[in-house]
Amino acid sequence: MKLFFVIVLLSFLSELVFAQTPRFDHFDISTGLSQNNINGLVIDDKGNIWAGTLDGLNKYDGYNFEIFKPGADQDGEISGNHIVSMGKGMDGDVWVTTREGDLNQYLASSKKFRRFSQKIFEDVGIFPEDNIWQFNDSLVWFSQGDRTGVINIHSDQCNTFGAPGM
């Protein structure tokens, strides 16, 4: 009798669990995305989905897209349209590199961008191309190929590390 009860209970629970069909939404330019080719994707601390495309940075809040592109003012705006890579920051910030060679920090608190010029990275021969990760309130780690770099965002000082023999 106990075995029968367990089997009935398990079949009832499986119906509850598997009866719910997950919902998937498809986004493209017809639904508000700035471009269909996505080079990077980040989910920030507030649950917003950020998509870096060949034609702008897109922030999706669950209802609408907000698209970030450089403008005539340039101050507080992203440095370019073509997003190369992305990484999650702290406190809702998002890190973005553009084809123009700049590292951009989206500051969630002010809703503006702070730029780190490509000159900082040229001096040490590395560019934040992949795996951008903010370690704490001062250091952002990144990689390019088999090399790793770190930038102190308060002093704009960058260092690089490579495998032995490089």
Side-chain angles (χ1 to χ4, degrees):
M1 186 66 161
K2 287 182 184 178
L3 180 61
F4 176 74
F5 178 72
V6 170
I7 291 173
V8 170
L9 181 63
L10 287 176
S11 74
F12 176 73
L13 289 175
S14 69
E15 285 295 318
L16 285 177
V17 171
F18 295 110
Q20 297 176 0
T21 304
R23 187 182 124 210
F24 293 95
D25 291 328
H26 177 80
F27 298 106
D28 59 19
I29 56 173
S30 68
T31 56
L33 195 62
S34 67
Q35 217 269 341
N36 288 336
N37 293 326
I38 296 176
N39 291 339
L41 200 62
V42 168
I43 300 175
D44 69 19
D45 295 335
K46 298 176 183 179
N48 297 307
I49 300 172
W50 294 80
T53 72
L54 302 176
D55 190 27
L57 178 65
N58 300 254
K59 175 184 168 187
Y60 182 68
D61 64 5
Y63 301 99
N64 299 302
F65 282 98
E66 183 177 359
I67 300 170
F68 299 91
K69 294 183 180 185
D73 180 11
Q74 297 292 323
D75 187 37
E77 296 180 3
I78 194 165
S79 64
N81 285 348
H82 186 138
I83 308 304
V84 174
S85 63
M86 300 176 61
K88 183 179 174 187
M90 299 176 70
D91 302 320
D93 292 357
V94 175
W95 291 90
V96 180
T97 55
T98 63
R99 183 177 56 192
E100 288 70 24
D102 294 329
L103 175 65
N104 298 264
Q105 177 186 18
Y106 176 77
L107 301 162
S109 59
S110 65
K111 298 183 179 182
K112 293 187 177 205
F113 288 89
R114 176 183 175 196
R115 288 191 208 159
F116 297 86
S117 169
Q118 63 181 328
K119 176 80 171 112
I120 297 167
F121 307 105
E122 286 174 351
D123 291 344
V124 293
I126 192 170
F127 177 70
E129 190 173 272
D130 295 307
N131 306 311
I132 303 169
W133 177 61
Q134 187 170 0
F135 179 70
N136 58 27
D137 67 344
S138 299
L139 302 177
V140 175
W141 290 84
F142 58 91
S143 67
Q144 181 181 27
D146 60 355
R147 298 177 65 212
T148 301
V150 62
I151 181 172
N152 183 316
I153 62 174
H154 298 298
S155 67
D156 289 357
Q157 187 147 15
C158 184
N159 293 307
T160 184
F161 309 92
M166 304 287 321

